[in-house]
Amino acid sequence: MNFSYWRKKLVVWLGSLPKRCLLCQHWLSAHEHGICDYCFSEQLTSTQRCLGCFQPLALQPPLLCSVCRRNKQLLVVHGVLFHSQVGFGVAAFKRYGQFAWLMPLCRILALRLRSLWQSGLLPMVDAIAPVPASHFALKKRGFNQSKVIALTLGHMLGLPVVDLFQAKFKRSQQGLTRSQRLTNLKGVFSQQKTAPQRLAIVDDVVTTGATAQSLVQLVEKDCEEIQVWVLARTQTQS
């Protein structure tokens, strides 16, 4: 028997396994994906924090504190905290290709975005653009996690996804400070086409915001509204 045959058999076998919640291992019903309804609702409770510096806000609105509004800080909408119970699922999806985490994490982010839109706190965008991956990163990982997230969100929210950016090879950002990350990203990204007036840049995790800031600098001349959407954010002060 060849490898292709056994691979197909393995896919069928894995697909026949009982579907259980990734967090509590409870059996999933037909309408639940990855996480049961109870665990999903637990992830939706969040404190009122500035979407720029993540400091606590007494009221919401506004979305940004007075300091971030004055400094024109990037507005980052996240689904979960990276170090929360469900946050490790982002790393499992990105590093190990565990796609079972993709749908529930995107649902959490999409639900928060819809809530901000319906309340009038956040304007809708015309299109979403994923953070690009270099050819080396694509070859190593096998997929661009940011583009997969963007395509999933685009389907959920009814928004077009545009490949707006291109990336050259860069060394890993892990363990670098914000200033080191910005230096590491110089000349890495380029813009391929004209950006829409209202744009959302999509990534998996935001730590210091250096990657998003580098992309914003490329398109800020074309856009009147730029947002950053991520599945998770760290609690590092940027």
Side-chain angles (χ1 to χ4, degrees), residues 82 87 90-91 94 146 149 203-207 230-234:
F82 188 70
V90 181
K94 176 181 178 179
S146 298
I149 295 166
D203 205 357
D204 55 339
V205 181
V206 65
T207 303
V230 293
L231 293 184
R233 75 178 297 163
T234 65

Side-chain angles (χ1 to χ4, degrees), residues 40-65:
F40 183 84
S41 63
E42 287 291 299
Q43 306 308 315
L44 299 180
T45 56
S46 60
T47 56
Q48 296 176 332
R49 289 179 176 270
C50 171
L51 296 186
C53 63
F54 205 59
Q55 290 291 331
L57 286 173
L59 297 172
Q60 186 129 10
L63 296 178
L64 296 174
C65 66

Side-chain angles (χ1 to χ4, degrees), residues 44 46-52 57 59-64 75-79 108-125 157 225 227-230 233:
L44 299 180
S46 60
T47 56
Q48 296 176 332
R49 289 179 176 270
C50 171
L51 296 186
L57 286 173
L59 297 172
Q60 186 129 10
L63 296 178
L64 296 174
L75 192 150
V76 180
V77 182
H78 67 281
I108 292 172
L109 176 55
L111 192 63
R112 186 168 193 195
L113 286 166
R114 287 196 184 100
S115 175
L116 291 171
W117 291 340
Q118 292 170 2
S119 61
L121 297 176
L122 192 71
M124 291 190 66
V125 296
L157 301 171
E225 172 72 22
Q227 302 167 15
V228 179
W229 299 351
V230 293
R233 75 178 297 163

Side-chain angles (χ1 to χ4, degrees), residues 11 20 25 59 67 77 87 94 124 142 145 152 170 197 220:
V11 170
R20 294 181 180 272
Q25 299 302 308
L59 297 172
V67 176
V77 182
K94 176 181 178 179
M124 291 190 66
Q145 72 280 357
T152 306
K170 72 177 189 311
Q197 285 193 327
E220 58 186 354

Side-chain angles (χ1 to χ4, degrees), residues 140-191:
K140 181 180 179 181
R141 184 171 293 125
F143 64 98
N144 177 3
Q145 72 280 357
S146 298
K147 186 167 184 179
V148 174
I149 295 166
L151 290 171
T152 306
L153 287 172
H155 178 72
M156 288 180 173
L157 301 171
L159 291 170
V161 178
V162 293
D163 288 319
L164 192 59
F165 307 106
Q166 194 171 17
K168 300 176 184 177
F169 171 77
K170 72 177 189 311
R171 68 187 181 96
S172 173
Q173 298 277 74
Q174 192 171 1
L176 301 181
T177 64
R178 177 175 171 80
S179 59
Q180 290 172 334
R181 288 176 182 236
L182 287 170
T183 301
N184 187 41
L185 291 170
K186 283 186 177 178
V188 169
F189 298 123
S190 59
Q191 183 178 349

Side-chain angles (χ1 to χ4, degrees), residues 1 3 12 22 37 56-57 74 114 152 173 205 217 232 234:
M1 298 291 180
F3 174 76
V12 172
L22 292 166
D37 287 343
L57 286 173
L74 286 178
R114 287 196 184 100
T152 306
Q173 298 277 74
V205 181
Q217 289 174 354
T234 65

